[in-house]
Amino acid sequence: MIRVSTKFDRPEPSVVKQLSAFSSATVHEAQGRLGALDSAIKPVDHTMSLCGPAFTVQCARRDNLMLQTAIAYARPGDVVVVSVGNYEEAGSFGDVLANACQSEGLAGLITDTGVRDTEDLRALGFPVFSRSVSIKGTVKETVGPMCEPVTVGGMLVRPGDIMRADADGVVVVRREDAAEAAARSQERVDAEARYIAAYRAGRTVVEMCDLTPVLAAKGLVIEE
């Protein structure tokens, strides 16, 4: 007998909402360039975006038994995060399961294996981020861990950590660091707004980024 608990601490919804206002790249930079999943994990449509606590699950290759189980037990707002070991040659998730997720009120799915039925997924609009697209089917044979730490896209993801994903990629934020990450993300957005305003006012990148001493120290001479 294998016992699996689905109990874990989730972040405050207000913090999740705050982080959802920032891009994955902004959050990644704001938390010290940490938390980015492999760049191969991308949305099936560039308009897809998600932010929510991770409901983690480990699946065997070409086997989606535990994925289907996770969908049944995840709560509204959760992001199902599936670890399969970066296996691309399987379509473990498609339009039927996406409809199940949407009906459950889930926020999205992130997986390091493949998905299929991508045209239907785009039409449905349920956010799906995967390592690949594959038409190869799966079986339902192997039980495994759920709501335990997993490695996805080279990053450790724990149940309750916040996943932020958009057209550029996926970043994970530790639940206990989420409030600080949101605050630093806002600081970064404010700083970038000041840079943009300065550039539009005629100031140069070299001037704003104080690159003159850097270039000189590296021996670069620019003749105009």
Side-chain angles (χ1 to χ4, degrees), residues 22 60 64 97 99 101 108 149 153 157 163 171 175 179-180 195 210 212:
F22 308 108
N64 71 353
L97 290 181
N99 274 277
C101 289
V157 179
M163 310 303 297
V171 63
R175 181 172 57 83
E180 182 178 2
Y195 275 98
D210 196 23
T212 299

Side-chain angles (χ1 to χ4, degrees), residues 28-40:
H28 169 59
E29 293 283 354
Q31 60 178 2
R33 297 184 177 177
L34 298 175
L37 274 62
D38 290 345
S39 60

